[in-house]
Amino acid sequence: MKHQILGSQVKTWQPQFSDEGCARDASILKASAAIGRSCETIPLGTGRPSPEFYPWKSIGTEKSPLGRAVGNADDGSAATETHKRATGAYDFGELLGYGPAAGSPELLTFFKEHVELIHNPPYEAWETCLTCGSTSALEILLRLLCNRGDWIVTEAFTYSGTIEASRPLGLKLLGVEMDDEGMMPEDLDLKLSTWDPSQGRKPSVLYTIPCGHNPTGITQPTHRREAIYEVARSHDLCIIEDDPYFFLHLDGDQLAGSDLNQAKQDPIQNYLAALPTSYLSLDLDGRVVRLETASKILAPGLRCGWMTACHEVVARFLNHTEFSTTEPSGPSQLMMYQLLGEQWGHKGLLLWLIQLSSKYSQRLNILAEACRLHLPSELCSWVIPSKGMFLWIRLRASNLTIDHIQRERNGKTDVVSTLENMIYVNARNKGVQINKGSWFAVAGDSQGDICFRLTYAAAPEEALDMAAQKIAESIRECIM
Amino acid sequence: MKHQILGSQVKTWQPQFSDEGCARDASILKASAAIGRSCETIPLGTGRPSPEFYPWKSIGTEKSPLGRAVGNADDGSAATETHKRATGAYDFGELLGYGPAAGSPELLTFFKEHVELIHNPPYEAWETCLTCGSTSALEILLRLLCNRGDWIVTEAFTYSGTIEASRPLGLKLLGVEMDDEGMMPEDLDLKLSTWDPSQGRKPSVLYTIPCGHNPTGITQPTHRREAIYEVARSHDLCIIEDDPYFFLHLDGDQLAGSDLNQAKQDPIQNYLAALPTSYLSLDLDGRVVRLETASKILAPGLRCGWMTACHEVVARFLNHTEFSTTEPSGPSQLMMYQLLGEQWGHKGLLLWLIQLSSKYSQRLNILAEACRLHLPSELCSWVIPSKGMFLWIRLRASNLTIDHIQRERNGKTDVVSTLENMIYVNARNKGVQINKGSWFAVAGDSQGDICFRLTYAAAPEEALDMAAQKIAESIRECIM
């Protein structure tokens, strides 16, 4: 029945792939992280939360009567019967079956309440649904909102995953200038007002990361958001608000009490008052699609997030979901509901977020202090972020002398990207994983500066000082 | 900070949607099942396994040290500390983090061994990766392999989800004639040999459901598969083998012992010998992409499956995955690994599948006997399936007298679809959910017959006889 013909000629698939398939390259961040992991590197690259920041430690299951009847001889029933727990109002069978694309009603209700509590969208017909994480949700949105050849507007630097997700879909990105408050509304308006139709259809989708911006760490102040919203209105742009870092507030030390179980009203009120005004909460005409995720505040492996938008968008999003991801994982939903719905409630979630923010603040402080001590101040500059996971280090290209340019090896004229790569490789060889700024540049280069994105989320606290030392060495060896 | 303007004018999104977005309609099966669920209906429609067929009964979690520190006053620590279990070699932190798109190494190793054990692909460079279920995997494959406007070849009847997933992608389906052994290689060859290029690019993708075919229940015998593989070779078709029902073998009564814990060698050997020869195990030149899923043999809510193909396909599939689903849920993977890798092993999984097959056989026998007793034999015919979840009931249109046609209400000439709808609605009103054959017809109609798909997977055993009685009444009232 079975053949085994060694060395048989395997069909060549290349001519079979679609335009999209041909453009499906590997993720640059994942590839870079994989190199890092194989050689005991300090990971300041990918924004992966450290496992100590997940609220769960383990998971156990109890077998069903039918499941208990099966096993091989070595598998005693003691090993199969690990845990018994009443799941309360939650129907475990429903969760292991095919569920609603929008998520199970119980968990969805929690997130609807959460969105109302935090954002209180100013129009009536908003809806919230669960997603299989923001990466998945963004992919679906881009497909629903854009045809091949269309342009979308983003910050001049944006999450590399968004750049890489857009390309195989045949989308082009238009980067808007940024200052210390993020995307500049004047440049957005200018680019749209002077749009040359020979480039393609005028963009109708604005993608922004308004809090703890990836990669620059910038958080747009409210007046900036209001100005951008007005520009979006005047050009009838819809806004995809990708906001994974909204809750990671980096003045956490001042917010969290020393003992969170003795929660007083104040820390929560302080924390709520310090949260930014989301685009969703400014959204008078239902033009915002807000993406949120459990990845940065609970655990990435859940592959679960939530999305809020007007009915028309959510309905099509769910129709798409039914023929792609189908629904978020039942076990993931159950874990989230047991924690959020049955145990923590909204107040408990906020206390968790305050504590998490405090932990990230600690780490940021350690890394920022290490950078202050070790990085060459005549070359490097950075702004301490108030949100998120990233510190953006900028080396002014104008500070680079002709000597540095002469040291450039292979005769290419692009000194900036050559030096960026030299520093990146040098740091990696010294055991520190950092991310190149150009990976996040919509235009493909960092516009004259050499930039690096550092995260304080993944590495152990005690490794952060050493990491900054190694980065400083890497820079000095390449430039000075 | 927050606005609340009631009755504000919400933006109209219709002009914003892409070609794909405009075509994103709701799933016909899901919509139909939703109606069914709201009114105490016997569900013979959607192929949802009954919860008693899942191997797990409950799931519990233990909080991490950081998670334990948080909670509101009402939440005693006893309630948060539900379960403790050593996860053995499996790193729980890794599973809650961002993991490899192909799945965690431990679980992936299990499925690679499983594929080798069951299918032993006859070329060297095959690879297996996990998927977020076959619906998700198929969507990705269609995007990787087809451009808008392309044709794919399927059975003349096929899974409605595949029909509905293809349309928004701009794909057209070419249905190949079927007989009692499934897709006919002569018709496949004829359609491709006489392909008219003015219709579009000649199809290069063949999609087939070879076991317990959805909706007809047919299982292709080995000689049929060999013939189809040869035609695929001669036209350089790649084959997507969508095989969720491979392991649901409906002669299970003969295979399973009364006490599975006293497993002898014989039941497993008998079961393995009765499994069909997959296209993958015939695949000399790496043209087959085999999709398998945990949905029909463990639980659909896991949203996890596995795919086997040559390296070129798997590599691009994983690149796509990184910018869409990212990876299957960590908790789902952990549950599967605890069960399959740590407890059951390959032998335990086979014993489970034997037992599950036996349960489905029982149910099929009950439904088939009920149909034999109640359905009008002069009108209805069916073939008892040897695999899967579906019984396909065919009403010969040639048996319908002119009386039936005169009873047709709205003056439409399409008597067949009118009668089909009348019977469907009549059954639903009597409390039985069945699926219309035309939903699965690639050409949009059932080619002269009225057909219905019944599943014995979802309804309680004791309801199956009553369901058949109601269906018989529904048919008689509409036709006789």
Side-chain angles (χ1 to χ4, degrees), chain B residues 455-470:
Chain B
T455 181
Y456 31 90
E461 275 182 27
E462 58 276 15
L464 294 173
D465 186 81
M466 173 63 78
Q469 285 186 48
K470 301 277 189 195

Side-chain angles (χ1 to χ4, degrees), chain A residues 2 11 18 21 24 54-55 57 59-60 62 64 72 92 96 118 143-144 285 301 316 319 329-330 332 334, chain B residues 2 11 18 21 24 54-55 57 59-60 62 64 92 96 118 143-144 285 301 316 319 329-330 332 334 344:
Chain A
K2 304 285 168 59
K11 169 181 159 67
S18 66
R24 281 285 168 201
Y54 306 149
K57 186 176 160 194
I59 162 178
E62 184 193 10
S64 69
N72 59 40
F92 187 66
L96 283 189
I118 304 293
R143 295 190 189 278
L144 290 178
D285 22 72
R316 286 193 194 263
N319 288 347
S329 150
S332 293
L334 184 69
Chain B
K2 303 285 169 60
K11 170 182 161 65
S18 65
R24 281 284 167 203
Y54 306 150
K57 186 176 161 196
I59 161 178
E62 184 194 9
S64 68
F92 187 66
L96 282 188
I118 303 292
R143 293 190 190 278
L144 291 179
D285 24 66
R316 286 194 193 261
N319 289 347
S329 150
S332 293
L334 183 68
W344 281 355

Side-chain angles (χ1 to χ4, degrees), chain A residues 446-458:
Chain A
S446 304
Q447 305 180 316
D449 287 339
I450 297 172
C451 302
F452 294 99
R453 192 191 78 168
L454 313 184
T455 180
Y456 31 91

Side-chain angles (χ1 to χ4, degrees), chain A residues 11 36 52 70 72 101 131 133 139 174 192 195 216 225 289 301 310 314 325 362 396 441-442 446 468 472:
Chain A
K11 169 181 159 67
E52 71 193 87
V70 172
N72 59 40
T131 69
E139 187 224 358
L174 179 68
L192 293 172
W195 180 257
T216 66
R225 294 169 193 236
V289 183
C310 72
V314 173
T325 57
Q362 268 176 41
R396 289 275 157 209
V442 170
S446 304

Side-chain angles (χ1 to χ4, degrees), chain A residues 212-231:
Chain A
H213 174 260
N214 188 350
T216 66
I218 295 169
T219 297
Q220 298 168 5
T222 301
H223 63 89
R224 174 60 58 97
R225 294 169 193 236
E226 287 167 344
I228 289 172
Y229 189 84
E230 281 313 308
V231 177

